[in-house]
Amino acid sequence: MKLIGWNCQGAGKDLDNSNKMEFLARLMNSTGVQVTFLSETRSSRYNSSHLNSRFNTAGSFVVPSTGFSGGLWLLWSDEVRVSINFSNQYLILAVVGHIHTNVDFALACVYGDPHHRHTRMIWEQISTFVNDNLGKPLVFLGDMNELMSEADTTFRLM
């Protein structure tokens, strides 16, 4: 199984004339990736049909940005089936099944709250999803924007 996760920091104004999106299309094609997750697309202009057409994917799911902030895209090939369990501006939680091997796994695609106002809610959603899918392998893709300790909040010069 091949997966890509990328915080693209903006998809650009045009899917066909963006260096980032051209790079992504080439990467997806050359690697034969089955699942691709993009965070921080900063776009609400594109829907699933735009993405499927541009990236030659079998399916996709879009969480639009809020203004110029956020935005999540999940794209997949015809080698997998995807069932979205939950989504919001920070998460796409899905069960993915590989068609040829008939193996299912839980997929948590995360773009954590950069301001840490909703961190607890994000972790609660992930925890519920994990508990609902016990026994399945779990894959996390994304940017947690998570502080693990007080040391993460300070920079130390040596």
Side-chain angles (χ1 to χ4, degrees), residues 52-112:
N52 294 340
S53 176
R54 172 63 178 102
F55 298 106
N56 196 29
T57 51
S60 59
F61 184 80
V62 174
V63 176
S65 65
T66 303
F68 292 105
S69 176
L72 309 174
W73 297 349
L74 183 64
L75 303 97
W76 59 89
S77 76
D78 60 1
E79 295 177 55
V80 295
R81 62 186 177 284
V82 176
S83 174
I84 306 296
N85 287 25
F86 177 83
S87 69
N88 65 19
Q89 68 191 68
Y90 305 109
L91 299 165
I92 300 174
L93 303 174
V95 174
V96 177
H98 189 261
I99 292 172
H100 302 297
T101 62
N102 207 30
V103 172
D104 290 350
F105 64 92
L107 175 64
C109 299
V110 182
Y111 178 65

Side-chain angles (χ1 to χ4, degrees), residues 126-144:
I126 292 170
S127 178
T128 298
F129 177 68
V130 169
N131 285 325
D132 289 347
N133 289 283
L134 288 176
K136 289 185 180 94
L138 176 65
V139 176
F140 274 83
L141 289 176
D143 182 352
M144 293 302 297

